[in-house]
Amino acid sequence: MKQALLSPLLKKQTLNFESFSNFRPISNLKFLSKVIEKVAASRLWDHLCTNDLNEIFQSAYKKYHSCETALVRVQNDILKAIDNNKCVILLLLYLSAAFDTVDHDILLNRLQSNFGIKGKAQAWFRSYLTDRTHFVKIDGSSSSVHPVSYGVPQGSVLGPLLYLLYTSPLGDLMRKHDISFHLYADDNQIYTTFGFNNDVELSLTTCRVERCLADITNWMSANKLKLNTGKTELLVLHSKVPTDFVATKHNC
């Protein structure tokens, strides 16, 4: 039940199919394995909800939450800020192969220290994560079987939920810098506001965003995750901007 058949799925139909990095490795698991996972996921979810352990600004893989709820909240906050004559700095962060680099020991320690999952429950999750294998099958030809030392299976029931618990400290990190955020799986939207023609506020906001991003980068490195700099974007959103403000922004 721990062996997965990997089906390479092109992330976008327009991407070059000759580049391996453009494919997402989807794990096809045994039916019985997924039934057991569903039971475990249900009990884990009940534990998180009963003890109020969910990140409220994470919209992925949660009942009554979706990509739509994340977009609606972020857009609403941005439009309200602009209506109040504020500028908004929006930082869009994206991770590379996030599900595939989850460290099992770090995850198990986090389940115990942050979510109170210990004893037999933790031992069950350790059993679930260890001794997993996978192979690729294309056009009737199969690769050799390889052990899986890192990551959670994409295409599994528990994998996405465990990933959310693994990255849960990000929310507290961004709150420490007093920066608004909303998460959707491995997509991170970070945003904050500042006033027009206020050089002091602009400088303080810029420094705050830079410090937050530095802490996020260090946390990612310590937890064996990697930011995809090629897909990371920084946007400044505003209504009509005074001419002197535009000049100041370019000088910065």
Side-chain angles (χ1 to χ4, degrees):
M1 290 194 295
K2 294 184 181 183
Q3 186 173 93
L5 188 159
L6 294 184
S7 297
L9 179 65
L10 199 61
K11 295 177 181 178
K12 293 182 180 178
Q13 293 303 315
T14 55
L15 295 176
N16 181 8
F17 65 89
E18 294 184 353
S19 176
F20 293 161
S21 62
N22 291 333
F23 287 87
R24 182 176 285 108
I26 302 299
S27 298
N28 291 303
L29 303 165
K30 301 293 185 183
F31 172 77
L32 182 58
S33 172
K34 299 193 78 167
V35 170
I36 295 172
E37 281 191 62
K38 198 168 184 65
V39 174
S42 176
R43 296 185 65 178
L44 176 58
W45 182 252
D46 288 344
H47 169 73
L48 297 175
C49 293
T50 301
N51 295 282
D52 195 23
L53 296 172
N54 279 310
E55 170 56 64
I56 61 173
F57 296 132
Q58 168 65 260
S59 288
Y61 315 115
K62 292 168 65 178
K63 193 174 183 180
Y64 307 123
H65 292 71
S66 65
C67 181
E68 182 179 0
T69 58
L71 292 173
V72 166
R73 186 214 172 213
V74 174
Q75 183 189 36
N76 181 66
D77 287 353
I78 291 172
L79 292 178
K80 284 171 61 179
I82 292 174
D83 285 344
N84 291 323
N85 295 318
K86 293 283 189 177
C87 289
V88 180
I89 294 178
L90 174 63
L91 189 60
L92 306 173
L93 305 180
Y94 188 82
L95 278 67
S96 296
F99 281 45
D100 301 328
T101 59
V102 170
D103 183 277
H104 295 164
D105 289 333
I106 295 176
L107 172 59
L108 290 167
N109 288 334
R110 189 153 295 148
L111 290 178
Q112 178 173 333
S113 60
N114 292 18
F115 301 98
I117 299 172
K118 52 190 177 181
K120 290 183 178 181
Q122 189 192 45
W124 188 93
F125 281 106
R126 183 179 296 278
S127 174
Y128 170 80
L129 292 166
T130 55
D131 299 324
R132 302 192 74 90
T133 59
H134 60 200
F135 68 98
V136 180
K137 186 174 183 179
I138 300 176
D139 294 334
S141 299
S142 301
S143 71
S144 55
V145 176
H146 292 274
V148 180
S149 301
Y150 292 91
V152 291
Q154 295 191 48
S156 64
V157 178
L158 270 175
L161 183 54
L162 291 176
Y163 173 80
L164 298 188
L165 302 185
Y166 186 77
T167 56
S168 60
L170 282 174
D172 293 332
L173 191 154
M174 286 179 276
R175 288 188 183 92
K176 184 182 75 172
H177 292 278
D178 193 25
I179 287 182
S180 300
F181 66 94
H182 207 101
L183 312 175
Y184 188 83
D186 56 353
D187 290 325
N188 305 274
Q189 292 83 40
I190 303 169
Y191 52 100
T192 190
T193 64
F194 62 94
F196 287 128
N197 292 330
N198 189 329
D199 292 341
V200 174
E201 189 175 353
L202 172 60
S203 178
L204 291 174
T205 302
T206 302
C207 291
R208 188 154 46 90
V209 171
E210 289 177 348
R211 287 195 298 267
C212 181
L213 183 57
D215 282 354
I216 290 173
T217 303
N218 292 334
W219 186 91
M220 293 285 185
S221 178
N223 287 271
K224 301 183 180 179
L225 299 172
K226 182 182 178 183
L227 285 174
N228 187 331
T229 55
K231 292 185 177 181
T232 296
E233 295 184 71
L234 174 66
L235 304 174
V236 179
L237 307 168
H238 49 74
S239 58
K240 187 176 180 180
V241 183
T243 305
D244 55 346
F245 172 79
V246 175
T248 302
K249 184 181 69 170
H250 283 300
N251 289 335
C252 290

